[in-house]
Amino acid sequence: MRSLAEDLGINLHTVNKAYATLRDEGYVIMLGRRGAYVADAPANPAAGMDESALEAALTKLATEFKASGGTRHAFLAAAKRAAQDLD
Amino acid sequence: MSPDLISLVTSASMALITLLSGCLIAATPWLTRGREAFAVSVPETAQADPRIRRMRRAYLACTLAVSAASAVAALALWSANPLAMAAIVCAPVAAGFLLMLVFRARVMAIKRSEGWGTRSARLSTVAGAAEANAPRPLPLAWNLLYLPVVLATLALSLALYPAMPDPVPVHFDAAGVADSYMAKGWQVIAMPIAVQAFMALCLTASHWQILRSRRPSSPEHPVASAIAYGMFARAQSATLLVTGIVITVTIAIMPLAFAGVVTSDQSLVALIVIIIAAILPNLAVSLVYGQAGSRLLRRMTASSELGFDDDESWRLGLFYVNREDPSVVVPRRFGVGWAMNWGNPKSWGLVALFVAAIAVFAVLVEVLFR
């Protein structure tokens, strides 16, 4: 971890925080002395996108679509097509 | 050999060394990394800018002129005034530094007017399989090769001890005439060994610094630059070792000179030839690889983006000061080799330790061997 901080020329604390964030989000598993390993899938199912995050993302898209001249009907139709994979 | 001829050979060697080191300084603008010009962070495409190309040629011409003049002056002055000669040898270095500052200011002005700066920072490093592909400097254990050299010199001194006169001539002036003597005793055997051992320790410390250095990577070409730097560091560590062993072996000329096996003029000429031969591999590696392996990458397509800009950390283009950076040793910005991170207290500690070690050694030599 120190060699990573040295090679990038950034503070060790920044690298530590980055690793901690990746661990908290479930992307990386820390095995103490043996190092950090990339996880196969997010270990914490809540680490993914939940409903409030989804709504925030959709609000952003809706605002952008409206600014580009889109209608509610077109937005909902597109959302329905995009949601075909959800069961 | 007559004293005049020895003087001439000594002066000519000093002049040649001055000229060669001046040539390396003059070539520096072509040896820097593609993302830096005269100690300023620039996009790689800026290297083709006609203004910067003109600056490079001007730097080369001026520094070569100063080096040639200094070499001629060294040739004329060596025997007469060693102090003036020492000042003259520093002239190309001083000229190179001042010219770099001048052109650095101009490049910064061009950078501002062209808007080459970047507000974001995109850093890169290689890890995992890519890291394993990048070569590393030679392991420290190679420095154990100094041990047989020291032991062989000890054996040689012991074997030649009976043949040495009493008192032993231990210092020769520029004309090859003995001007200092030492009474026969254990000091005569110990002095060459002590010098060799101390030199081996210093060179091992330099090797350690190469190993400890940050491994730079240009975000514009992350993997290629990491591999190029690895090759450069490996070559530099190998040349350091070879040069160190050659120079340490030549110290074995001391007992040979004490016993009169080689005459003083023979040893002088041999010494000078060997020292120049030790300089040439280092010159070759610097010119072939460039700083941080940059010349290995000169055929790559130049990037028009600037990943990160660390002009602020480099004071006067030469001194790296960055408290955030945990590195102790970093590659130089304008020049071939490495520099310390003066924002890191460990660097100051190491330098203080080094200065103290040299002072202690000098005092010890004075006390024990005089």
Side-chain angles (χ1 to χ4, degrees), chain B residues 6-75:
Chain B
I6 296 173
S7 279
L8 185 65
V9 168
T10 320
S11 313
S13 312
M14 287 311 299
L16 188 62
I17 291 172
T18 310
L19 185 65
L20 285 177
S21 54
C23 286
L24 183 62
I25 295 172
T28 307
W30 283 271
L31 303 178
T32 59
R33 294 165 73 188
R35 60 192 316 283
E36 280 157 8
F38 289 104
V40 180
S41 292
V42 295
E44 288 174 353
T45 44
Q47 300 288 354
D49 188 307
R51 290 166 291 186
I52 293 185
R53 288 173 73 182
R54 245 178 290 134
M55 281 190 234
R56 284 207 290 265
R57 285 195 287 265
Y59 184 91
L60 175 76
C62 291
T63 319
L64 271 183
V66 171
S67 307
S70 305
V72 167
L75 194 63

Side-chain angles (χ1 to χ4, degrees), chain A residues 1-15 19, chain B residues 123-125 212-216 320 322 324-328 346:
Chain A
M1 207 179 284
R2 193 184 55 174
S3 69
L4 179 66
E6 282 179 8
D7 289 345
L8 292 173
I10 57 179
N11 200 309
L12 258 173
H13 296 302
T14 314
V15 176
Y19 269 97
Chain B
L123 304 164
S124 72
T125 185
R212 272 289 266 116
S213 164
R214 167 215 293 188
R215 298 165 302 172
Y320 186 66
N322 188 348
E324 295 293 304
D325 191 341
S327 309
V328 175
K346 286 190 208 158

